[in-house]
Amino acid sequence: MDAARFVGRDDVLGPLGEKLAAGEAGDLVFVHGAGGIGKSALLREVARRARALARPVYSIDGRLIHSSLDGLRDALAAALDDDNPVVVIDSFERMTALAGALRDEILPGMPDTAVIVIAGRQAPDAMWFRDGWEHLAREVKLRPLSDAESTELLARLGTTGHYADATRRWAKGSPLALHIGGVHTEDEGPTLGSQGLEETIVHRLLGTEIHDVDPEVVAIAAVAGAVDQGLLTGVMYQGDPKLGFRQLRALSVVEPIGHRHTMHDLVRAALRSDLRTRDPVGYRTLVCRIADHLCERALSGEPALVSDLAALIESDAMQWGVSDRYRTDRLRAGDVDDVTAMLNPAEDAWWADARRFFEEAPQCVTVVRGDSGRLIGFTIATTPDDAPAWTNEDPILGPWLAHARSHVPDGKAIVWRDAINLSRRPDGSEDPDVVALLNVPAHLQHQLPVAEAFYGVVGSDDIELQEVSALIGAVHATELDVTSAGRSLQCHIMTHGPRGVVGQLQQLIHMEQDIPLSLTAPRPVPDTLARRALRDFHDPIALAACPLAEVSDVSDRAEYVRQLLLSAIEDAFGESADEQALRRLVERSYVDSSGGHRRAMSESNLSRTSYYRHLAEGVHRIALALADRRIPPAA
């Protein structure tokens, strides 16, 4: 049964199969990848192939060795006496304390014909590639299954058709997710993305580890794409960010990305969905707090964080530069031929114009590549200062660049000419992951924080994209519409202002989460001051002494602050049911004369921790609103 459900991994099994069959020169392979990516399944397939060739197999599970050198020696004693052993070691991350002994004491005693495959979640340590071991060891990082492999696996599980397509998109190439989703049908079992499936994934990948980590840290890691200590410091309401970061790094489903750490995609998606369902106000608030933190860092000299900021946008149509399966790249030799081969004769005319950029201005071209490295999409974009001189005569870019030079201060604009998706799903629709990468030319990302306007190209017949463009605030500049090489194109201009696209992304995220945004606070009001004023709402003497009172008449000062607070409460919350619930929580806690913390907590049905977390967010919102809200002193 297990063998019948194994697909793919030819890049690993091909070379290994030759070694297994030859029985002469051995092999030492380190296979690594995130949980659920199929490491254990690969080891079982290696074992099956070895046994089919009459080679003895010795299996070790790192979870069962318990860092015991004697246990490791005992497990491999028989292999050391064998002439042709195949050793497979799983969950190597659980026995890293024994790695030195394995390398220096045990493996040197293996016969030259031994084939050794070690699988773990982390890449092998550098010690495996020095002192001569670099000639023996090789490293393989397991990637998600391709769409074709995922479809084949689902078919072997008995899942085909529309539900198979939906399962494949949901699983994103994870063998674990494909198995969990594929054992159900459209009419039976939990639906894709349901709490039942998500809890199964979290349990299979994380077990009880999560119970040892601060819940607020888990929530932040579930929402943010990558976490560092600075993010925790800027976003956490309470707790120790330094300790929280250590706890997060210790999780087996967390891996480093430079100096930051990220959680396994499946676990992150499941935890994020659970938070969204269980605590919608807390979820939406957290998304915006993370966005605000990333925005300020991006504008303060960390432009690479723009991608993390964009990843917080949840709408497929508005996704910017986020994909688990594809990547952006510069042009390579052969890309022109690949594009030419993929186009039909009717597209030759526009391709002739676009091809010039590939051949004469490759700096204006960014491509999207699939698993095989083949080009599946491309963008052509530039800025007024970087555009080659001949682009002034281009039928599309020429008038748009001229407009940008005359209308955008200092030419701080990015102008798109083309965004071409050459890949399609089996149902003919565009893959949103490809669209996401086409939306942000990677070679221009360093300019995103300062670009004050985007000139986007939209097909005159693309109604959906036109609606999305209007939704995010772009303006259709009808005077710049062009017809070129059989294509009718519209120019949509999005003006961002001095905070550039970073500020625009921040606004989009707040809009999506229905939480008002105060971009600037000319007179910042600390949360502590807002909380003190709310606490003294019914105490006129204390309220009259509040620094927020900007009138001199003592008899008017308390009422001034009350009206200021009520006005700020009116401005601080959105219109959705969740936003209004948060508003009522604050009002019941502080403003209602018959309220108070105990009654508000009881009526909200929140735990003590959740209650004070929600209350802190409400106070923070009011503090932001107070910064922009002043009541003129009475005449």
Side-chain angles (χ1 to χ4, degrees), residues 174-321:
S174 164
L176 173 62
L178 288 164
H179 274 90
I180 292 175
V183 297
H184 302 287
T185 69
E186 265 184 298
D187 302 319
E188 298 176 0
T191 57
L192 296 176
S194 69
Q195 186 175 3
L197 287 183
E198 288 162 351
E199 288 178 351
T200 300
I201 288 173
V202 172
H203 177 72
R204 290 275 294 276
L205 293 179
L206 197 53
T208 60
E209 289 181 80
I210 199 170
H211 301 320
D212 297 326
V213 183
D214 185 328
E216 192 173 11
V217 173
V218 172
I220 293 171
V223 173
V227 177
D228 57 19
Q229 193 171 315
L231 178 66
L232 295 181
T233 301
V235 176
M236 289 180 71
Y237 280 118
Q238 54 191 354
D240 182 348
K242 188 174 182 179
L243 173 61
F245 192 51
R246 287 202 305 268
Q247 293 174 335
L248 182 68
R249 287 185 303 175
L251 290 176
S252 60
V253 295
V254 170
E255 60 182 353
I257 302 180
H259 67 282
R260 298 184 297 161
H261 284 68
T262 187
M263 188 175 282
H264 186 290
D265 286 340
L266 285 173
V267 174
R268 189 171 149 247
L271 292 173
R272 184 172 180 167
S273 177
D274 174 68
L275 178 63
R276 184 191 290 115
T277 302
R278 177 172 43 83
D279 184 4
V281 172
Y283 169 78
R284 293 187 297 102
T285 296
L286 183 56
V287 170
C288 292
R289 284 177 64 83
I290 292 172
D292 295 344
H293 174 84
L294 293 175
C295 177
E296 297 311 316
R297 285 176 60 175
L299 291 172
S300 301
E302 297 184 73
L305 294 180
V306 170
S307 295
D308 290 49
L309 183 64
L312 295 173
I313 296 176
E314 297 178 344
S315 166
D316 284 343
M318 288 191 277
Q319 278 288 293
W320 285 38

Side-chain angles (χ1 to χ4, degrees), residues 87 97 114 190 211 228 286 298 386 404 466 507 524 532 567-568 574-575 613:
V87 177
H211 301 320
D228 57 19
L286 183 56
D386 295 337
Q466 292 170 27
Q507 286 183 315
R532 190 174 77 191
S567 298
E575 297 299 325
R613 186 173 68 247

Side-chain angles (χ1 to χ4, degrees), residues 13 20 26 99 113 152 191 359 421 482 498 533-534 542 561 626 634:
L13 292 171
L20 290 171
T113 57
E152 181 183 352
T191 57
E359 297 174 338
N421 186 354
V482 298
L534 287 165
V561 177
L626 283 169

Side-chain angles (χ1 to χ4, degrees), residues 1-8 41 45 48 145 152-154 156-158 175 179 182-183:
M1 179 68 74
D2 185 52
R5 294 180 173 183
F6 183 86
V7 299
E45 180 66 13
R48 283 191 292 268
L145 296 179
E152 181 183 352
L153 175 55
L154 289 169
R156 295 188 183 191
L157 293 169
H179 274 90
V183 297

Side-chain angles (χ1 to χ4, degrees), residues 240-422:
D240 182 348
K242 188 174 182 179
L243 173 61
F245 192 51
R246 287 202 305 268
Q247 293 174 335
L248 182 68
R249 287 185 303 175
L251 290 176
S252 60
V253 295
V254 170
E255 60 182 353
I257 302 180
H259 67 282
R260 298 184 297 161
H261 284 68
T262 187
M263 188 175 282
H264 186 290
D265 286 340
L266 285 173
V267 174
R268 189 171 149 247
L271 292 173
R272 184 172 180 167
S273 177
D274 174 68
L275 178 63
R276 184 191 290 115
T277 302
R278 177 172 43 83
D279 184 4
V281 172
Y283 169 78
R284 293 187 297 102
T285 296
L286 183 56
V287 170
C288 292
R289 284 177 64 83
I290 292 172
D292 295 344
H293 174 84
L294 293 175
C295 177
E296 297 311 316
R297 285 176 60 175
L299 291 172
S300 301
E302 297 184 73
L305 294 180
V306 170
S307 295
D308 290 49
L309 183 64
L312 295 173
I313 296 176
E314 297 178 344
S315 166
D316 284 343
M318 288 191 277
Q319 278 288 293
W320 285 38
V322 183
S323 174
D324 300 316
R325 298 177 294 148
Y326 309 115
R327 67 185 189 280
T328 55
D329 194 11
R330 297 291 187 92
L331 284 175
R332 298 180 190 172
D335 283 343
V336 170
D337 294 336
D338 286 345
V339 174
T340 303
M342 283 186 275
L343 299 178
N344 61 57
E347 298 170 309
D348 287 347
W350 74 258
W351 171 234
D353 290 336
R355 181 171 182 153
R356 186 176 184 183
F357 289 87
F358 279 67
E359 297 174 338
E360 299 182 34
Q363 73 276 10
C364 297
V365 182
T366 298
V367 303
V368 177
R369 301 190 188 279
D371 292 336
S372 65
R374 184 169 181 174
L375 184 153
I376 57 175
F378 67 86
T379 63
I380 297 174
T382 188
T383 68
D385 291 341
D386 295 337
W390 53 264
T391 56
N392 293 328
E393 307 304 321
D394 184 83
I396 302 172
L397 274 185
W400 295 1
L401 285 169
H403 188 277
R405 291 186 178 107
S406 63
H407 288 78
V408 182
D410 301 319
K412 292 181 178 179
I414 295 178
V415 185
W416 262 258
R417 184 192 192 277
D418 286 294
I420 306 299
N421 186 354
L422 297 170

